Amino acid sequence: MHYTSSQVSGPTLLLAHGFFMDESMFEPMRESLAAAGINLVTVDARCHGRTQSPDGEPFSYWDLAADGLAVLDELGIEQAVIGGMSQGGYSALRMALLAPERIQGLALIDTEATACTPAELAYYREFFERWSGTEPLAPLVAELAPQLIGGTDPRLWRAWTSRWYSSDRNGIMPAARCLMDRRSVLHRLSEITAPALVVRGSHDSNSTSQKSEALTAGLSGADGVVTIPGAGHGAAWTHPEVVAPLLIRLVEQSTARRESKLTRALSAPWPKVRGERGMRAEREIQAAQ
């Protein structure tokens, strides 16, 4: 297992990434979270980034949940706020079900608790058959990037599309089977009582508003869905200046910290391309308070 820790002496936030991505998708938030005194731990899932699954060995999101708990064990962390984007959320939900005593809070970003619908399953089967085949990748990448990442700036896609072109096209297949074979845990959400944050991009066609509402309805610790205007499925990557303050607030609420460092975190530097959005987000959060 490959993982990265900020090594900050504060509460831990463990985040799991989405499909076709890796733990570096949360890097744009690391500095801001560290400024708020939060130790960000990010993990590469099996068949992604620098974590491999030997010889195409099958696995499930329950296995990925166990992997996340094993990383906390390795770091000597007893309790943490956990979360994830898309498939990372599938793992986080199962972590909360496997070890509820270790979970202080739950961040669910552009994700859901259900299994694939028949239509989604048919789409995935065709897509992954093409991906693992011999046809040129360019049309598939052009289809995947706006759907998986979203946002309005194609420059934000290039960090991932370049990796997809150089990746082992068959190496992702065990993860694809894991994605397609997952079962719903919607009926078990009532077992999770930790404070929960549910976030989605307004343009996310994968994790729809209905799926997000189902999450909040089932989680007693959730207080409605936070929708990020203009964001797609990859809101944590395209809009980190909006997502980071939400995560900071969740960690502070979950760990009962007395001193709020939200203002300090919001003042952390952001890339110029995101700066204007960050100022708007700060004004919106201050207005909401």
Side-chain angles (χ1 to χ4, degrees):
M1 295 294 300
H2 170 77
Y3 63 86
T4 300
S5 171
S6 298
Q7 298 182 334
V8 173
S9 58
T12 292
L13 171 63
L14 183 146
L15 292 178
H17 62 80
F19 203 93
F20 274 123
M21 304 182 87
D22 59 46
E23 59 89 15
S24 68
M25 72 165 292
F26 301 112
E27 200 60 31
M29 294 191 289
R30 191 175 296 278
E31 182 179 352
S32 182
L33 294 173
I38 296 171
N39 178 39
L40 177 62
V41 176
T42 52
V43 184
D44 279 347
R46 301 186 191 192
C47 298
H48 292 79
R50 285 174 276 184
T51 298
Q52 300 304 314
S53 181
D55 301 322
E57 178 181 299
F59 55 85
S60 71
Y61 287 117
W62 293 102
D63 294 313
L64 298 191
D67 291 343
L69 293 170
V71 168
L72 293 180
D73 290 340
E74 176 73 16
L75 292 170
I77 297 169
E78 182 61 30
Q79 291 186 311
V81 178
I82 64 167
M85 171 258 173
S86 193
Q87 74 158 14
Y90 309 159
S91 301
L93 283 169
R94 287 157 178 80
M95 284 181 70
L97 291 168
L98 282 176
E101 73 284 355
R102 302 187 66 177
I103 307 308
Q104 297 172 302
L106 184 62
L108 302 170
I109 308 168
D110 292 298
T111 190
E112 60 187 281
T114 57
C116 287
T117 66
E120 289 169 340
L121 191 57
Y123 170 80
Y124 284 142
R125 283 173 174 165
E126 179 184 358
F127 180 87
F128 286 115
E129 182 177 350
R130 295 170 62 199
W131 187 273
S132 61
T134 58
E135 69 174 275
L137 270 184
L140 294 173
V141 169
E143 175 185 341
L144 182 64
Q147 179 181 348
L148 186 65
I149 304 171
T152 57
D153 187 352
R155 290 175 295 179
L156 296 176
W157 305 345
R158 292 174 188 163
W160 302 106
T161 56
S162 61
R163 301 183 202 187
W164 298 342
Y165 280 118
S166 62
S167 67
D168 175 3
R169 294 175 64 165
N170 285 294
I172 199 70
M173 293 311 295
R177 288 189 290 271
C178 173
L179 174 71
M180 293 186 286
D181 293 344
R182 76 181 190 276
R183 296 186 178 183
S184 175
V185 293
L186 198 62
H187 61 293
R188 296 192 59 186
L189 294 184
S190 61
E191 300 174 36
I192 302 173
T193 59
L197 168 69
V198 179
V199 180
R200 69 174 295 270
S202 62
H203 296 166
D204 187 355
S205 60
N206 297 292
S207 301
T208 62
S209 58
Q210 291 84 359
K211 292 176 178 178
S212 296
E213 291 290 351
L215 278 175
T216 61
L219 293 167
S220 61
D223 186 20
V225 180
V226 179
T227 301
I228 301 177
H233 193 55
W237 171 256
T238 60
H239 292 67
E241 72 287 352
V242 181
V243 176
L246 297 171
L247 294 173
I248 292 168
R249 184 179 299 173
L250 172 68
V251 173
E252 291 180 343
Q253 292 173 344
S254 301
T255 57
R257 300 175 67 197
R258 295 181 181 179
E259 181 183 0
S260 173
K261 297 183 180 179
L262 180 60
T263 303
R264 180 182 173 191
L266 285 171
S267 65
W270 296 101
K272 291 182 179 179
V273 70
R274 296 163 175 155
E276 185 179 348
R277 282 205 307 264
M279 289 185 287
R280 288 201 304 267
E282 182 174 0
R283 288 196 294 268
E284 291 168 0
I285 291 170
Q286 290 174 343
Q289 292 176 331

